[in-house]
């Protein structure tokens, strides 16, 4: 059996990018009889940016509810909150001490975020090492992630390989699974959809609020009557990742023909999201209002996950003679 592992931060509520880029493909992999999956909510990573504990807990619950709403089987797989298994922090310390400073200083994500964020803390810097511990601490074979995580996975492999080289075979060296065909889902402003850019679409919002978000997608000021270029428009690029081939080509023709406004396209996108995710929206609300069930499922997963990382840590301490 191969172990598939992935995590999602709870620095905001889960968005369409996380769902199409991570949750749906990861759950598909978890359904394969050859695989068992470890899926978790990276709430320690989220603390790098979210300092309000109440907000962090709310986001963590919403992220957990999203995994369950999309059909994660928590009997077969292991589902947990990163912070409930603090052994990962001990492992991070050992790995910090064998990770070269320039590797972290040159990471794209660190460079990018340290320019944009007001709070550039040490956690942001060692973020990739905690991520490596998340992965090699649980003996993951495969890690499905979006393209934006590629470099973090390369660092994880480098860290695992150099530890194994220095102390003898200790860690499984994981393989990333990055589907290059799965595009980076664009946000309401056309940039990559990201919690840190404030351009996300939260498909679990109540109808009215969701509609408001869809209506806020940035478009140019071409008049209704005029033909429009679908390939240069944000509404169409989001519609494209959700609709069927036929519907996509219908909307494409409407753009080119004119007399079709961006407001019309936004309304179609809104209705499509409601239709396509109707069951998941209902299931999400169920889990949000049944916190006890959510908590129970997570705690069961945390029991299972803890056993695995403790074994790995024993191995590491043994090698390091601590
Ligand atoms: P995070 O929380 O930023 O994103 C979670 C997953 O969603 C994917 N994703 C996207 N895919 C397509 N289009 C988008 N706009 C988009 N935005 C996000 C990401 O590629 C990712 O797969 N560091 C990780 C969390 C993490 C982790 C781990 C992942 C911590 N430890 C161990 C895997 C293994 C992160 O911040 O993802």
């Amino acid at each position: 059996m191969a172990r598939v592992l992935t995590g999602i931060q709870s620095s905001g509520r889960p968005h369409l990018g996380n769902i199409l880029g991570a949750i749906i493909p990861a759950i598909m992999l978890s359904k394969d009889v050859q695989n068992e999956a470890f899926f978790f909510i990276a709430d320690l990573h989220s603390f790098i940016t979210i300092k309000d504990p109440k907000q962090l807990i709310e986001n963590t619950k919403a992220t957990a509810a999203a995994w369950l709403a999309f059909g994660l089987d928590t009997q077969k797989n292991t589902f947990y909150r990163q912070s409930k298994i603090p052994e990962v922090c001990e492992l991070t310390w050992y790995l910090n001490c064998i990770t070269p400073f320039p590797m972290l200083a040159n990471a794209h994500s660190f460079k990018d975020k340290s320019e944009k964020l007001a709070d550039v803390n040490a956690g942001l810097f060692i973020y990739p090492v905690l991520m490596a511990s998340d992965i090699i601490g649980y003996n993951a074979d495969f890690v499905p992630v979006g393209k934006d995580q590629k470099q973090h996975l390369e660092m994880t492999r480098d860290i695992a390989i150099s530890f194994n080289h220095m102390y003898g075979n200790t860690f499984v060296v994981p393989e990333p699974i990055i589907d290059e065909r799965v595009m980076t889902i664009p946000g309401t402003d056309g940039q990559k959809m990201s919690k840190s850019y404030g351009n996300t679409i939260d498909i679990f919002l109540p109808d009215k609020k969701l509609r408001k978000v869809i209506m806020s997608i940035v478009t140019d000021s071409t008049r209704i009557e005029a033909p429009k270029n679908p390939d240069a428009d944000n509404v169409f690029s989001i519609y494209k990742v959700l609709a069927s081939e036929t519907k996509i080509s219908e909307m494409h023709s409407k753009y080119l023909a004119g007399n079709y406004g961006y407001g019309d396209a936004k309304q179609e996108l809104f209705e499509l999201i409601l239709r396509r995710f109707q069951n998941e929206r209902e299931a999400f609300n169920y889990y949000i209002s049944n916190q006890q069930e959510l908590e129970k499922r997570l705690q069961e997963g945390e029991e299972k996950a803890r056993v695995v990382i403790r074994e790995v840590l024993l191995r590491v301490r043994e090698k390091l003679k601590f």
Side-chain angles (χ1 to χ4, degrees):
M1 262 227 183
R3 179 163 298 160
V4 175
L5 174 147
T6 202
I8 295 188
Q9 285 200 59
S10 50
S11 47
R13 282 168 49 111
H15 57 70
L16 190 61
N18 299 140
I19 288 163
L20 298 178
I23 296 185
I24 295 178
I27 290 182
M28 268 173 60
L29 282 170
S30 76
K31 291 193 167 150
D32 189 324
V33 287
Q34 313 271 11
N35 295 335
E36 61 155 340
F38 274 49
F39 293 150
F40 67 96
I41 300 142
D43 52 352
L44 293 174
H45 277 110
S46 311
F47 183 52
I48 295 170
T49 47
I50 305 291
K51 297 299 190 288
D52 174 6
K54 260 200 191 143
Q55 195 191 342
L56 198 50
I57 287 177
E58 286 311 308
N59 293 344
T60 299
K61 283 179 186 162
T63 311
W67 275 111
L68 297 177
F70 276 88
L72 172 64
D73 175 351
T74 54
Q75 288 293 314
K76 178 183 179 220
N77 304 295
T78 302
F79 181 49
Y80 54 101
R81 285 161 288 203
Q82 182 190 34
S83 63
K84 297 290 176 189
I85 307 155
E87 283 84 349
V88 76
C89 298
E90 182 182 338
L91 180 56
T92 301
W93 183 254
Y94 303 138
L95 300 183
N96 272 336
C97 299
I98 62 145
T99 301
F101 178 90
M103 178 164 133
L104 298 177
N106 292 325
H108 305 315
S109 163
F110 175 70
K111 281 194 191 160
D112 181 46
K113 292 201 173 137
S114 56
E115 276 165 22
K116 287 194 179 124
L117 296 178
D119 172 20
V120 181
N121 55 57
L124 184 69
F125 189 68
I126 61 142
Y127 174 128
V129 189
L130 177 57
M131 182 157 164
S133 306
D134 287 331
I135 298 171
I136 63 181
Y138 294 99
N139 299 323
D141 298 297
F142 297 104
V143 186
V145 281
K147 277 185 226 171
D148 58 335
Q149 299 296 319
K150 194 173 178 172
Q151 194 184 38
H152 290 149
L153 263 295
E154 284 161 6
M155 291 184 191
T156 299
R157 286 175 56 84
D158 286 350
I159 293 172
I161 291 168
S162 56
F163 192 101
N164 287 350
H165 183 70
M166 287 161 80
Y167 298 102
N169 209 14
T170 312
F171 295 117
V172 174
V173 180
E175 294 285 341
I177 300 185
I178 299 173
D179 186 344
E180 297 288 341
R181 290 162 312 169
V182 174
M183 59 186 296
T184 299
I185 310 299
T188 53
D189 57 358
Q191 289 189 81
K192 175 198 146 187
M193 188 178 290
S194 166
K195 287 158 199 157
S196 46
Y197 300 158
N199 63 357
T200 60
I201 297 177
D202 173 357
I203 63 151
F204 300 117
L205 283 174
D207 295 20
K208 256 192 167 167
K209 285 192 177 161
L210 176 60
R211 188 167 186 280
K212 207 169 156 202
V213 172
I214 303 295
M215 291 297 157
S216 77
I217 297 173
V218 179
T219 52
D220 63 28
S221 52
T222 318
R223 288 170 303 114
I224 289 201
E225 311 80 58
K228 298 172 184 65
N229 177 4
D231 300 317
D233 175 53
N234 297 330
V235 187
F236 186 71
S237 57
I238 300 172
Y239 188 79
K240 249 183 6 191
V241 298
L242 290 169
S244 65
E245 290 295 325
T246 331
K247 287 284 174 195
I248 296 171
S249 82
E250 273 174 29
M251 189 182 272
H252 195 266
S253 310
K254 288 185 200 168
Y255 267 70
L256 297 179
N259 280 322
Y260 180 73
Y262 291 123
D264 301 320
K266 288 176 179 178
Q267 181 63 28
E268 283 198 48
L269 172 62
F270 168 62
E271 287 168 14
L272 171 64
I273 293 178
L274 289 187
R275 255 195 332 273
R276 172 148 176 199
F277 296 119
Q278 187 191 348
N279 294 342
E280 289 82 2
R281 283 164 52 86
E282 280 168 15
F284 178 86
N285 289 334
Y286 168 82
Y287 288 112
I288 289 294
S289 42
N290 285 276
Q291 293 288 331
Q292 277 179 338
E293 183 170 347
L294 197 72
E295 189 60 37
K296 182 171 161 278
R297 303 256 212 132
L298 284 164
Q299 283 182 12
E300 283 165 3
E302 284 148 13
E303 291 301 315
K304 291 194 268 174
R306 196 170 288 123
V307 174
V308 177
I309 195 165
R310 283 194 176 157
E311 274 173 21
V312 174
L313 260 183
L314 273 182
R315 215 152 66 211
V316 173
R317 290 197 201 118
E318 178 69 18
K319 298 273 164 139
L320 298 178
K321 307 290 174 220
F322 275 120

